[in-house]
């Protein structure tokens, strides 16, 4: 997809200047939508993040100010959570990619001859969406709880220490993140692999490349658009996730991510400026990371 | 001789296909194929679309497994060798240039895989050969079809494989470039002594380039031989009509001598040398090439050296500069084609004129297949023009430009 876009982009003649008014008109609904649902909350968030506590006010009472110190404070207070968020998200993205790529390759390439099998497997990939994300995560909490069959068996087999837990550990949180975002990784990968022209792979093997080299030098680069789309769709929401890491689900006190901290500041500590500053930091960090990533992977035309 | 893929081939390797059959689910693409291509030869596989040419190449390249039979390259059985380990390169019909690599990376791909020193310099050299070195940094999508085809050629040739497979490699080129590339390919092949297996549906291309041409039809080889041999003495109706055009007649053999047979064609005796006829009794199909036939305005005296048919009526005259093609309807026999060189000014007979046609007895040929089936093969665009344009003619033409 990306390559095709790349190829046609140059061939297309420049749109005549006088058409720009019409283009603007056509873009109007989109611009209005952005202003209403993106810019407005964003401006409000920025303003909130700079608020200062009201003098002699109650807890949760703030006034508009230019208190950029908020940012310094939250970074000082929460830098482990910030790092942890990106660490967990990265681990979950890598795991999801490792799991999804073979799966998507099978559905999109190997199963081409059997369209029925293809559709069936795609339905299975999407099937979890029919049940709420919260319920599924709670179910995992049950399945992996200390009293569960799996954990008791593992302990009986001495594969786990008798006093060890699975829930509440970083592994559980990363597992939950991976599990929850696998469909977002699999579907874009499937879309590119499904259209992969196998003649390129044949040309590779005709030119002395063994199967692994063909995979590394032909298949992977040609499926890059799917890899980039899938990793972004996994990494961005995973970095901001607050369900999996929450104490009520798979997390524990030591696994809190930025989402949990933002939630706590907003809903429990009523420290709105801190929560807003954290949100802005999260957003900016993701933007920078994604920008660098897309630049490096050479798929700018995807954006 | 065993052929390693780690180094450049010193010389071509011979290819042997033994009892090859290829079945796809529900379709047999190749029924039974036996073929030996000597090392260092330029072999053309000629046949209409869908006759199994690409399938044959894919079997040799290792991209497809034969249902039955063996494949030997340079004496080594490679039937179960993986594609990447065969000392073979292919110029694909669809080019299959890697879209994510530059032209230079495409051409250098095979060299890199084999860890050959100064891959880049060699890739540049191959690109210069196809006159595309100035586009080395472009992507395939930024090239025209003909340019892509030349890159595909460079990408295969640069590896100097013992056996080069070319699947209609010149199909997308315009006439002048095609001729130039034909010469280029031929000289590369001769220079290095590689074995070329060239697949084409263009009979002219096959005849100008190849030492040996095999005519393929419906998954089997109909006839194989040197181009002039195939042209002058076709063995089957298919070959007679696919390779150039032919006037074919059917009739009973009514007389046999040591040197010739006489066939009764609707009451007209037609003589064919025994040595040039595959069947010597019963119903036979005989023929003669249109350019061997002479057109007469008046009934010529009958002679033992010439077959004479007529009178007939000219029903179509098409003037093409060098020659004129006449269609002559002879009652009871059908429509015959005559090519005449334009030695004088313009056509010698007008539409509607009454004419006789004759040819030398030794120019006739007798086919081996049962008469009665399809005596006439529907001419398509590839087979319309008469071929036999030799390489020298090509050279001369190119030098003029
Ligand atoms: N993978 C396949 N499955 C089924 N039929 C095939 C397959 N590949 C080729 N064929 C059939 O085999 C025949 C020969 O094809 P091909 O070798 O490509 O012909 P061509 O002489 O034009 O190159 C065609 O009728 C084609 O439809
Ligand atoms: Mg073909």
């Amino acid at each position: 997809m990306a390559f095709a876009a790349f190829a046609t982009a140059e061939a297309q003649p420049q749109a005549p200047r006088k058409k720009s008014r019409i283009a603007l008109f056509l873009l109007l609904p989109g611009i209005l939508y952005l202003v209403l649902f993106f810019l407005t909350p964003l401006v409000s968030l920025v303003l909130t993040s700079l608020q200062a506590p009201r003098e002699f006010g109650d807890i949760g009472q703030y006034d508009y100010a230019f208190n950029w110190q908020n940012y310094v404070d939250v970074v000082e207070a929460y830098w482990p959570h910030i790092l942890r968020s990106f660490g967990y998200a990265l681990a979950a993205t890598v795991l999801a990619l490792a799991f999804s790529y073979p799966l998507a390759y099978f559905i999109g390439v190997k199963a081409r001859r059997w369209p029925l099998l293809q559709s069936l497997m795609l339905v299975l990939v999407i099937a979890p969406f029919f049940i709420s994300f919260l319920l599924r995560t709670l179910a995992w909490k049950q399945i992996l709880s200390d009293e569960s069959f799996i954990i008791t068996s593992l302990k009986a087999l001495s594969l786990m220490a008798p006093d060890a837990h699975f829930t509440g550990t970083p592994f559980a949180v990363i597992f939950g993140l991976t599990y929850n975002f696998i469909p977002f990784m699999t579907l874009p990968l499937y879309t590119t692999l499904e259209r992969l022209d196998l003649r390129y792979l044949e040309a590779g093997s005709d030119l002395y490349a063994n199967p692994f080299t063909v995979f590394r030098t032909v298949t992977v680069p040609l499926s890059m658009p799917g890899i980039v789309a899938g990793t972004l769709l996994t990494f961005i929401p995973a970095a901001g996730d607050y369900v999996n890491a929450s104490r009520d689900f798979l997390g524990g006190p030591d696994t809190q991510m930025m989402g949990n901290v933002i939630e706590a500041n907003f809903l429990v500590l009523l420290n709105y400026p801190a929560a807003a500053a954290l949100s802005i930091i999260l957003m900016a960090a993701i933007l920078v990371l994604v920008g660098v990533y897309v630049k490096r992977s050479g798929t700018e035309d995807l954006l | 001789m065993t052929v390693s893929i780690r180094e450049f081939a010193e010389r071509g390797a011979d290819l042997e296909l033994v009892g090859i059959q290829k079945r796809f689910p529900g379709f047999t693409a190749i029924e039974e194929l036996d073929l030996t291509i000597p090392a260092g030869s330029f072999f053309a596989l000629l046949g209409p679309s869908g006759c199994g040419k690409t399938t044959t190449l894919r079997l040799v390249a290792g991209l497809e497994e034969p249902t039955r039979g063996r494949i030997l390259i340079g004496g080594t059985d490679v039937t179960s060798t993986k594609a990447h380990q065969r000392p073979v390169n292919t110029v694909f019909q669809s080019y299959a240039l890697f879209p994510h690599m530059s032209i230079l990376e495409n051409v250098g791909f095979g060299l890199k895989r084999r860890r050959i020193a100064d891959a880049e310099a060699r890739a540049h050299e191959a690109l210069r050969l196809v006159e595309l070195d100035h586009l080395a940094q472009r992507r395939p999508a930024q090239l025209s079809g003909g340019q892509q085809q030349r890159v595909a050629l460079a990408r295969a040739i640069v590896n100097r494989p013992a056996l080069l497979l070319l699947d209609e490699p010149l199909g997308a080129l315009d006439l002048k470039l095609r001729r130039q590339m034909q010469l280029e390919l031929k000289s590369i092949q001769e220079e290095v002594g590689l074995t070329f297996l060239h697949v084409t549906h263009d009979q002219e291309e096959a005849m100008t380039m190849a030492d040996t041409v095999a005519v393929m039809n419906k998954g089997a080889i109909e006839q194989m031989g040197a181009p002039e041999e195939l042209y002058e003495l076709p063995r089957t109706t298919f070959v007679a009509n696919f390779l150039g055009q032919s006037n074919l007649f059917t009739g009973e053999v009514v007389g046999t001598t040591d040197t010739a047979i006489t066939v009764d064609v609707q009451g007209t005796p037609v003589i064919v040398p025994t040595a040039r006829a595959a069947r010597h009794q019963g119903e036979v199909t005989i023929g003669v090439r249109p350019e061997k036939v002479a057109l007469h305005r008046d009934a010529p005296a009958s002679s033992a050296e010439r077959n004479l048919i007529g009178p007939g009526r000219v029903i179509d005259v098409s003037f093409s500069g060098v020659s004129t093609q006449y269609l002559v309807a002879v009652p009871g026999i059908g429509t015959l084609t005559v090519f005449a060189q334009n030695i004088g000014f313009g056509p010698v007979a007008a539409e509607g004129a009454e004419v006789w046609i004759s040819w030398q007895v030794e120019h006739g040929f007798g086919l081996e297949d049962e008469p009665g089936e399809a005596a006439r093969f529907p001419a398509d665009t590839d087979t319309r023009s008469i071929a036999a344009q030799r390489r020298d003619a090509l050279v001369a033409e190119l030098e003029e430009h």
Side-chain angles (χ1 to χ4, degrees), chain B residues 40-61:
Chain B
S41 68
F42 198 124
F43 191 96
L45 203 53
L46 176 66
S49 211
C51 74
K53 305 181 300 288
T54 297
T55 306
T56 308
L57 287 198
R58 291 173 57 80
L59 288 168
V60 176

Side-chain angles (χ1 to χ4, degrees), chain B residues 27 29-30 44-56 93 167-168 199-203 206 213-223 236-243 377-383:
Chain B
F27 185 83
I30 294 172
L45 203 53
L46 176 66
S49 211
C51 74
K53 305 181 300 288
T54 297
T55 306
T56 308
Q93 191 167 12
D167 196 353
E168 314 211 3
V199 154
T200 175
H201 64 258
D202 178 347
Q203 43 131 348
V213 176
V215 180
M216 198 168 179
N217 186 26
K218 294 192 186 130
I221 287 180
E222 292 253 339
Q223 191 179 349
T236 67
T237 312
F238 180 80
V239 176
N241 285 305
F242 190 72
L243 216 59
F377 179 78
D380 62 42
T381 46
D382 309 323
T383 64

Side-chain angles (χ1 to χ4, degrees), chain B residues 94-162:
Chain B
S94 56
Y95 326 138
L97 299 179
F98 304 122
H100 58 293
M101 293 181 198
S102 71
I103 298 306
L104 189 68
E105 287 167 327
N106 261 283
V107 176
F109 189 89
L111 299 174
K112 280 227 182 83
R113 302 285 85 75
R114 296 198 293 168
R115 305 205 166 72
I116 281 178
D118 49 276
E120 196 161 307
R122 283 175 192 275
H124 275 298
E125 196 183 315
L127 279 172
R128 268 194 295 279
L129 190 68
V130 294
E131 296 178 14
L132 285 177
D133 200 25
H134 57 292
L135 302 180
Q137 298 311 327
R138 294 239 191 129
R139 293 283 170 108
Q142 297 166 304
L143 265 55
S144 74
Q147 290 171 329
Q148 292 184 28
Q149 200 158 44
R150 283 188 280 159
V151 174
L153 210 53
R155 187 176 70 170
I157 285 177
V158 75
N159 297 297
R160 295 284 143 111

Side-chain angles (χ1 to χ4, degrees), chain B residues 248-250 264-268 309-312 328-336:
Chain B
L248 298 182
F249 316 94
T250 53
D264 174 64
V265 180
Q266 304 293 319
T268 310
I309 286 185
V328 180
V330 181
I333 293 180
T335 307
L336 305 182

Side-chain angles (χ1 to χ4, degrees), chain A residues 6-30:
Chain A
F6 175 60
T8 48
E10 284 206 323
Q12 233 124 69
Q14 287 283 307
R17 265 267 159 261
K18 59 182 162 191
K19 292 267 172 69
S20 61
R21 267 162 202 272
I22 298 173
L24 204 65
F25 181 73
L26 289 174
L27 279 174
L28 213 58

Side-chain angles (χ1 to χ4, degrees), chain B residues 42 91-95 130 145-154 157 165-186 196 198-202 204-206 208-209 394:
Chain B
F42 198 124
V91 180
F92 292 94
Q93 191 167 12
S94 56
Y95 326 138
V130 294
Q147 290 171 329
Q148 292 184 28
Q149 200 158 44
R150 283 188 280 159
V151 174
L153 210 53
I157 285 177
L165 309 174
L166 303 113
D167 196 353
E168 314 211 3
L170 308 176
L173 305 184
D174 58 47
L175 193 63
K176 180 161 179 254
L177 200 54
R178 183 151 74 217
R179 299 238 157 121
Q180 195 176 331
M181 290 307 297
Q182 285 176 1
L183 290 178
E184 208 73 77
L185 273 180
K186 188 81 187 140
F196 276 36
H198 182 117
V199 154
T200 175
H201 64 258
D202 178 347
E204 190 174 329
E205 187 174 293
T208 34
M209 297 175 77
L394 263 176

